[in-house]
Amino acid sequence: KAGVTQTPRYLIKTRGQQVTLSCSPISGHRSVSWYQQTPGQGLQFLFEYFSETQRNKGNFPGRFSGRQFSNSRSEMNVSTLELGDSALYLCASSLRQAGRGTLNYGYTFGSGTRLTVV
Amino acid sequence: SQQGEEDPQALSIQEGENATMNCSYKTSINNLQWYRQNSGRGLVHLILIRSNEREKHSGRLRVTLDTSKKSSSLLITASRAADTASYFCATDGGGADGLTFGKGTHLIIQP
């Protein structure tokens, strides 16, 4: 079956611009999470979505936002880009459902979108 | 923020040898997972061990978990060149906070 698909693979943006990244989860996975990976901070949790609802958000400013559609596809948006937003952005989907006792599932990650802000 | 630390940060061994990586974490967990990442690409899920389990095997992988010491280890036996990658442990606290990752161990297998 198809894996997690992230588009685009690479992006170069200028400071102050905004960007939208897309993620298509594995069919049947309703949980979608986003992570930011940088050499300095490592892998950091951005958001988790389940059934079109944001369940939680990591310690990131309001410039970072996201949403999930009825088909479980998700997008994240970063507005007013800063140089420090340059990173690999990873999306992951899972069968995991917090609060429903179905927690012991791993995550399938996409290949990521590498964003460079210049 | 990072949950814990992997040890060592980098490890270089000969092909065929065993590789052991350790992970420590700080808070209570529902499960702990190990992932592999090749050259800045996406992460690949390797194995999940629940908080009430002490040891788990999958092929050449063996994972242990000691919740009293808040630590885990990943053993890769009979290493191959294709095992060269970064390995991350990640904890699942059971809520909606996603996974909390360590900084990773970079493993190099010398042919």
Side-chain angles (χ1 to χ4, degrees):
Chain A
K1 61 183 177 184
V4 176
T5 303
Q6 290 190 247
T7 57
R9 287 294 310 278
Y10 301 93
L11 266 177
I12 299 176
K13 290 286 188 178
T14 305
R15 274 180 300 175
Q17 288 186 312
Q18 75 165 21
V19 66
T20 299
L21 312 181
S22 179
C23 172
S24 293
I26 288 176
S27 178
H29 286 192
R30 295 162 63 189
S31 173
V32 175
S33 303
W34 289 87
Y35 294 83
Q36 181 197 64
Q37 185 177 27
T38 60
Q41 298 299 316
L43 282 151
Q44 293 191 290
F45 169 73
L46 275 162
F47 331 95
E48 177 174 304
Y49 288 91
F50 184 82
S51 293
E52 303 178 64
T53 300
Q54 186 180 100
R55 297 294 306 274
N56 211 340
K57 182 178 178 180
N59 188 25
F60 282 84
R63 300 184 298 106
F64 290 80
S65 63
R67 58 178 175 171
Q68 186 181 31
F69 301 95
S70 58
N71 62 357
S72 294
R73 191 177 70 85
S74 177
E75 290 181 346
M76 67 164 282
N77 184 276
V78 187
S79 62
T80 320
L81 284 165
E82 301 177 358
L83 296 178
D85 297 332
S86 294
L88 180 67
Y89 289 89
L90 293 163
C91 169
S93 75
S94 176
L95 289 170
R96 183 187 185 280
Q97 296 185 34
R100 300 214 178 178
T102 53
L103 297 172
N104 291 305
Y105 289 98
Y107 290 74
T108 302
F109 282 79
S111 296
T113 294
R114 186 164 295 281
L115 172 65
T116 302
V117 182
V118 297
Chain B
S1 61
Q2 299 294 315
Q3 164 72 288
E5 301 288 331
E6 274 100 333
D7 170 49
Q9 290 186 354
L11 178 62
S12 180
I13 60 174
Q14 296 294 124
E15 195 166 18
E17 294 181 337
N18 295 341
T20 299
M21 287 158 271
N22 302 297
C23 165
S24 62
Y25 58 92
K26 297 176 182 175
T27 61
S28 63
I29 63 171
N30 185 70
N31 64 63
L32 184 144
Q33 304 174 32
W34 285 89
Y35 288 83
R36 183 186 74 229
Q37 185 178 39
N38 292 85
S39 302
R41 303 291 296 275
L43 287 89
V44 175
H45 180 258
L46 296 176
I47 196 166
L48 179 152
I49 185 165
R50 303 181 186 201
S51 60
N52 61 355
E53 296 176 315
R54 292 296 167 258
E55 186 171 312
K56 201 163 183 180
H57 296 252
S58 177
R60 295 185 296 114
L61 306 180
R62 171 178 169 255
V63 169
T64 63
L65 178 64
D66 187 336
T67 53
S68 67
K69 295 181 179 179
K70 291 187 169 55
S71 67
S72 174
S73 69
L74 171 67
L75 168 67
I76 303 174
T77 60
S79 62
R80 306 166 180 169
D83 295 329
T84 294
S86 292
Y87 292 81
F88 295 88
C89 69
T91 55
D92 183 338
D97 298 337
L99 296 173
T100 303
F101 285 87
K103 291 189 180 297
T105 292
H106 185 51
L107 175 64
I108 297 172
I109 308 299
Q110 308 276 7

